[in-house]
Amino acid sequence: MADEPQTAAEGKDRDGFLNELSRSALKKMLAPLAATAATAGTAYLTRKTSQIWQESVLPKIQEKGGGKAFAKDALEQAATRFPGGRGSGVLRGLAKRLDDAQPTATAGAQKGERPGGQSAEAQKPDPRREQERQERQRRRQQRQQTLEQSRST
């Protein structure tokens, strides 16, 4: 008789406690399973997306002549959807830029600029930065030698 609840209120409290304990234990059991399922799902979607890209999208892009040609075509199609306003002019301008025979880096190189868009004088190495770079390289070599020595012993 000692195990039986004295009143109905005590019985409800005990049932509530056991229910809460059961829910808590269930949550703790299901959390790792949910995390594993999410990870597996993400890995599957990544694999599948890569597969679809390789099998479907990439061949169509190559069929149109590469990324620039594909983007140019997409911009021109989008420009036709706008009714002759400002947006269509902007999109056609972008498409024309993609159609240009000379990329901007090549045009800059003809003017004495380097591919980064700066002139040769502006890209001369700073002596302080060059010294820091050499110091980092020296420390890197020392670490590599130490690693090699520790492997040989």
Side-chain angles (χ1 to χ4, degrees), residues 128-141:
R128 183 181 50 81
R129 290 188 70 191
E130 184 66 24
Q131 184 179 7
E132 289 172 355
R133 187 190 64 78
Q134 288 174 354
E135 182 64 26
R136 285 191 305 270
Q137 188 174 12
R138 185 185 61 74
R139 287 192 307 257
R140 200 174 301 127
Q141 288 173 348

Side-chain angles (χ1 to χ4, degrees), residues 3-153:
D3 290 341
E4 293 182 21
Q6 299 278 329
T7 64
E10 287 180 8
K12 286 182 182 179
D13 288 345
R14 184 174 177 203
D15 288 344
F17 173 74
L18 290 176
N19 284 338
E20 191 63 36
L21 185 63
S22 297
R23 278 192 214 120
S24 177
L26 185 63
K27 285 179 185 177
K28 287 186 179 186
M29 280 185 354
L30 291 179
L33 291 174
T36 302
T39 302
T42 303
Y44 172 77
L45 287 174
T46 303
R47 262 192 325 272
K48 203 63 171 166
T49 303
S50 178
Q51 179 185 358
I52 290 170
W53 174 265
Q54 294 293 328
E55 293 175 0
S56 301
V57 178
L58 194 58
K60 289 181 182 178
I61 290 174
Q62 290 171 344
E63 201 175 275
K64 290 202 175 197
K68 274 189 174 181
F70 185 81
K72 177 184 172 279
D73 187 45
L75 287 170
E76 287 173 348
Q77 286 181 6
T80 61
R81 310 257 175 171
F82 282 103
R86 179 178 166 205
S88 64
V90 171
L91 292 175
R92 283 194 177 92
L94 287 172
K96 188 176 182 309
R97 286 180 120 183
L98 288 174
D99 196 29
D100 289 342
Q102 290 183 339
T104 56
T106 311
Q110 291 175 349
K111 296 177 188 174
E113 292 182 358
R114 293 199 174 173
Q118 297 177 341
S119 66
E121 295 83 31
Q123 285 195 350
K124 285 184 181 176
D126 180 18
R128 183 181 50 81
R129 290 188 70 191
E130 184 66 24
Q131 184 179 7
E132 289 172 355
R133 187 190 64 78
Q134 288 174 354
E135 182 64 26
R136 285 191 305 270
Q137 188 174 12
R138 185 185 61 74
R139 287 192 307 257
R140 200 174 301 127
Q141 288 173 348
Q142 284 178 344
R143 284 193 303 264
Q144 189 66 33
Q145 288 172 353
T146 305
L147 274 174
E148 290 173 3
Q149 288 174 355
S150 67
R151 287 182 192 152
S152 64
T153 56

